[in-house]
Amino acid sequence: MGVGNGTVVTEFILTGFSGLDQTLWLFLCLVLLLMYLTTVMGNAAIIFLVCVDNRLQTPMYFLIGNLAFLEIWFTSSTSIKLLVILSFGRRTISVSSCFAQSSFYFALGGAEFVLLVVMSFDRYVAICQPLRYAAIMKHQLCIQLVAAVWVTGFIFLSYHLVLLSQLTFCGLNKIQHFFCDTTPLFQLSCSDVTLLWKTESVFILFIVLSSLCLTVASYTCIFFCILQMPAASARRKAFATCSSHLTTLAVVYGSCIALYAPSSGYVSLETNSIVALLNTVLYPFLNPFIYSLRNKAVMLALKEAMARTTAQLFP
């Protein structure tokens, strides 16, 4: 990919978490495996239920189904390689695979930020303008909004591939991370990456902060609407739901700002690896429980689906 000092770099070595002792290594591997399987199965169950249950074929669950689909691929883009590293010690990754992993990670992450804005707008309309909800959140509009999310993800993917193609590498190939993040790649490159790094930081922070401002604005309006609800029980329920949503949003936005703020290049890569786990593992793990599996309608649909499956297996 890059030539320097007579050396052509064809693969990288991911050295993240290489300093762990054997006991902690096995514990981390087991925990991450369980969290990954739970994330994939939980989100897959949500997608299945949204597709087959008529009661869940509403704008809110349509958006949640798309979020679940995004989460499966987003966490898989980094977790599978991390599990391979922890389970088999295979730390090498080709340059093309590294660039593809990094690009898909940012594309899916960027698309998810846009989707979170759309979901917060949906909740704003549902809570603050319930009488107009059906007229505003029509099926056609939902399709258009989700299409915009995926088009945005494709734009992010193309942009990131072009940016990475500008990097050159001169023999050094050890990435001090568990996946191909841009920070260690920039630090490993032998070309002048000052402008590229600033461009990447500005681009990422613009996406993160703009989506954060729009999402916070929606939830602020929602909170004011909740305060005007006459029933105390309704206010408590709405506050509990919004609080859980904001908790997960704090995890993903906080970790992204910590990782990709302009000063993050001066933070140790070991610290970056730990913070990245919040973004790539913990947040996707929490989402099925926060957005869906705490919902009575989803749980009822899940119980009915399990009852039908059991009846078919054991008539």
Side-chain angles (χ1 to χ4, degrees):
M1 189 69 201
V3 181
N5 298 330
T7 301
V8 177
V9 175
T10 59
E11 64 181 19
F12 296 110
I13 301 174
L14 300 169
T15 63
F17 301 116
S18 57
L20 298 178
D21 59 60
Q22 189 67 21
T23 302
L24 189 57
W25 183 289
L26 293 175
F27 174 76
L28 180 62
C29 180
L30 179 60
V31 170
L32 291 178
L33 177 61
L34 292 175
M35 292 181 70
Y36 174 72
L37 293 177
T38 302
T39 301
V40 172
M41 291 188 294
N43 283 305
I46 292 168
I47 296 171
F48 172 76
L49 292 174
V50 170
C51 291
V52 302
D53 196 299
N54 292 330
R55 291 167 298 184
L56 302 183
Q57 293 177 2
T58 63
M60 181 181 74
Y61 292 111
F62 176 69
L63 297 175
I64 289 176
N66 277 272
L67 178 65
F69 184 76
L70 263 174
E71 289 291 11
I72 291 175
W73 291 105
F74 177 72
T75 191
S76 296
S77 67
T78 58
S79 295
I80 291 177
K81 183 59 181 179
L82 177 56
L83 289 171
V84 169
I85 292 173
L86 295 174
S87 302
F88 306 104
R90 298 176 184 173
R91 294 183 172 273
T92 58
I93 183 171
S94 67
V95 172
S96 58
S97 297
C98 183
F99 285 4
Q101 182 193 54
S102 181
S103 298
F104 277 106
Y105 166 78
F106 279 95
L108 293 168
E112 185 168 332
F113 283 132
V114 178
L115 183 56
L116 290 174
V117 174
V118 174
M119 293 176 65
S120 66
F121 172 73
D122 172 74
R123 290 299 83 205
Y124 161 75
V125 177
I127 295 175
C128 300
Q129 302 186 44
L131 298 179
R132 299 181 58 198
Y133 181 77
I136 295 175
M137 297 301 296
K138 294 180 180 179
H139 182 70
Q140 183 179 1
L141 177 61
C142 293
I143 295 293
Q144 293 172 346
L145 290 173
V146 169
V149 169
W150 288 104
V151 169
T152 302
F154 178 77
I155 293 174
F156 290 168
L157 177 66
S158 303
Y159 156 80
H160 204 71
L161 284 173
V162 171
L163 182 140
L164 292 179
S165 68
Q166 307 302 309
L167 301 179
T168 56
F169 302 93
C170 306
L172 297 176
N173 67 340
K174 291 186 177 180
I175 298 177
Q176 298 180 42
H177 214 314
F178 63 85
F179 74 101
C180 293
D181 200 1
T182 50
T183 298
L185 282 175
F186 282 151
Q187 294 186 356
L188 197 63
S189 176
C190 59
S191 55
D192 185 3
V193 298
T194 304
L195 180 59
L196 293 177
W197 201 332
K198 289 181 179 179
T199 302
E200 177 78 342
S201 297
V202 170
F203 181 79
I204 292 175
L205 286 179
F206 171 75
I207 297 301
V208 173
L209 294 179
S210 60
S211 63
L212 175 61
C213 290
L214 292 173
T215 303
V216 170
S218 295
Y219 276 101
T220 300
C221 294
I222 289 172
F223 274 120
F224 281 113
C225 291
I226 292 174
L227 291 174
Q228 297 175 8
M229 291 181 177
S233 59
R235 289 198 301 270
R236 285 194 298 269
K237 181 180 178 181
F239 272 126
T241 301
C242 291
S243 297
S244 60
H245 289 184
L246 291 176
T247 299
T248 59
L249 292 176
V251 171
V252 66
Y253 279 108
S255 61
C256 284
I257 293 173
L259 286 171
Y260 304 113
S263 62
S264 64
Y266 302 99
V267 180
S268 70
L269 293 174
E270 291 80 5
T271 301
N272 272 0
S273 296
I274 296 174
V275 176
L277 284 178
L278 300 177
N279 187 29
T280 60
V281 178
L282 180 61
Y283 175 67
F285 172 77
L286 292 176
N287 266 353
F289 301 97
I290 297 298
Y291 285 101
S292 301
L293 298 180
R294 295 171 65 249
N295 187 286
K296 291 182 179 180
V298 174
M299 291 306 300
L300 179 60
L302 180 60
K303 290 178 181 179
E304 291 179 355
M306 293 177 63
R308 287 194 299 268
T309 303
T310 304
Q312 292 174 355
L313 294 176
F314 305 100

